[in-house]
Each structure stands twice: as structure tokens, then as C-alpha cells.
Amino acid sequence: MKDVVTLKVKKDRLKIYLNPEADFFCIKQNLKDKFIELKNFIDRGKIAIEFSERVISEEEEDELINLIKENSDLEITYVFSNSDTDPKMKIDFNSLNGEGKVKFYRGILRSGNLLEYDGNIIVFGDVNPGGIVKASGSVIVLGHLNGTVYAGKENEKGAFIGALYMNPIQIKIGDYIARNPNPQMENNKKSKKESKFEIAYVNGENIFIENYNKNMLDVILENNN
């Protein structure tokens, strides 16, 4: 099979060049063959990878990542890709509440946009009214949170939601829901302007939103145990 995948080791990552004109099935097979051939020559270890040359969807990216994991002993720590116009970065490491994966997203989630991930999510940007974030773990928004966030699995209390500008339409943590009673909440220009990192978490049977402090994280961790 003609090579449609090229691997090059850079200083801080393994760069994977994907032929932009090749059939995606051929790309998967070629990538699989390469990692099977290299398996006996590559030691176990952590590695960052970058997909280049070809624009791939998030689903295609996940397929390639899983294929690499299944056919090598490598632990993928960072994944860089050009899957969207808004650059994204994924990272696998111990999560905010002890285990799992974290997805980094850079950009603005506008009305009608949905960002969903089985793990934790960190957004470098704003979540506008009508934008929705869903995570099985915790969610952090390093910007304005004016949309809707669903964090944590059902029947669990250990997840939390954090934001620099906390003004959500609705948040849900596990089975617990809180809504914003402010009738001006959908007007971005009238949202909070002071930068004050706040965390929403479950304590007992209620959701609390407070300024970040270490004692609060102790409460969250206790709820997760």
C-alpha cells in the first residue's frame, strides 16, 4: 500500500502527516500498519502527537487516537489537531476529581453550539447564551459563562463547574439543577464584568456558587468519596 501516513519525531511530539486526498479507510489501515511495525522498536512511554496536513473531524480524530492506543504501548498525553477553525487541544491526564480525561477547547461557543465530552472539559473562551457544554466530569470556563452547562454523571455529586465570569442560564451537576432568575441573563453586554473565579458545586442537596478557595475543593472531594 502506498504510504498515505508519514511519521516524524519532533522535539516535543510525534507529528503524523495525513494525506489530504487519501480515503480515510486507507489512512486508518496505513497508520495501523506503521504502529504495528514500530511496536517492537518503540519503548513504553508518554508522548504528544499532532495530526497535520489534513483537516479531520473530531470523530475521525478519536478513531485515529484509539487505533494508536490499540496497536502500541504508548500513552498519549497531548493531541494537537486542526480539526476545526477554532484550534483545539486534547490532553489525557488525571482529571480534576481524580481520574479520567480532560478536553481543552479554544474558542467561543455561540448559540446553537454544543460541546460534549466523556470526561472533563476546560473552555478557553466564552459560552454564550444558547451555547451548551456537557461533560461526564467537571467543567471550567476561562471566560464568560452565559450559557448552559451539564456536569457530572447522574447520581454523582463530585463534579463542579468553574468560571471566571459566572452568569449561566442553567447549570446541572449530577441530578441537581440551578437556573438563573435574572431576566437580563441573555444579554452579553449586561453580564458580570468583574473577573472573579467562582465554582458551582453540590453540598448536601443544593448547588452552591462561591468564590474559589481551597476549603471548597475539600468539600467537593469529600462529596466525591
Side-chain angles (χ1 to χ4, degrees), residues 145 147 149 160-173 176-181 192 194 196-203 206-213 216 219-220:
L145 172 50
V149 175
F160 65 87
I161 300 169
L164 285 177
Y165 303 87
M166 182 76 77
N167 188 44
I169 291 176
Q170 177 178 290
I171 56 176
K172 180 181 179 183
I173 302 175
Y176 301 88
I177 298 176
R179 295 181 176 85
N180 192 337
K192 295 180 181 178
E194 69 273 12
K196 182 174 58 177
F197 192 80
E198 295 177 296
I199 291 182
Y201 66 99
V202 175
N203 188 9
N206 297 294
I207 291 180
F208 294 85
I209 299 178
E210 299 180 10
N211 294 341
Y212 166 79
N213 62 69
M216 182 194 313
V219 173
I220 295 170

Side-chain angles (χ1 to χ4, degrees), residues 55 94 133 146 151 157 165 169 182 185 201:
V55 177
N94 289 336
V133 179
N146 297 322
K157 297 182 178 180
Y165 303 87
I169 291 176
N182 182 359
M185 63 186 174
Y201 66 99

Side-chain angles (χ1 to χ4, degrees), residues 17-138:
Y17 296 89
L18 307 175
N19 189 318
E21 298 179 357
D23 180 79
F24 187 67
F25 176 82
C26 293
I27 286 178
K28 290 195 298 180
Q29 188 60 51
N30 197 219
L31 183 65
K32 177 180 178 180
D33 292 342
K34 286 185 179 296
F35 275 93
I36 290 176
E37 293 173 3
L38 294 172
K39 188 171 183 178
N40 294 329
F41 302 96
I42 301 178
D43 295 331
R44 292 175 178 268
K46 298 180 179 180
I47 191 169
I49 64 174
E50 176 182 354
F51 295 111
S52 183
E53 297 292 324
R54 179 188 181 105
V55 177
I56 57 177
S57 68
E58 186 170 332
E59 291 75 16
E60 290 174 332
E61 182 180 280
D62 288 340
E63 285 189 57
L64 297 181
I65 292 170
N66 290 331
L67 188 149
I68 294 172
K69 290 179 179 179
E70 293 169 358
N71 295 280
S72 74
D73 295 321
L74 296 173
E75 179 183 347
I76 299 174
T77 54
Y78 292 82
V79 180
F80 302 90
S81 75
N82 57 352
S83 56
D84 284 315
T85 53
D86 290 327
K88 297 179 182 177
M89 180 177 69
K90 288 183 182 176
I91 174 173
D92 288 334
F93 63 93
N94 289 336
S95 75
L96 302 171
N97 55 17
E99 59 183 10
K101 299 182 294 183
V102 177
K103 180 184 185 70
F104 284 68
Y105 178 89
R106 293 179 182 175
I108 298 174
L109 284 173
R110 296 179 171 84
S111 179
N113 292 158
L114 168 64
L115 175 63
E116 188 170 5
Y117 189 62
D118 184 15
N120 304 291
I121 295 177
I122 297 179
V123 178
F124 291 89
D126 298 337
V127 180
N128 286 353
I132 300 174
V133 179
K134 292 184 177 181
S136 63
S138 298

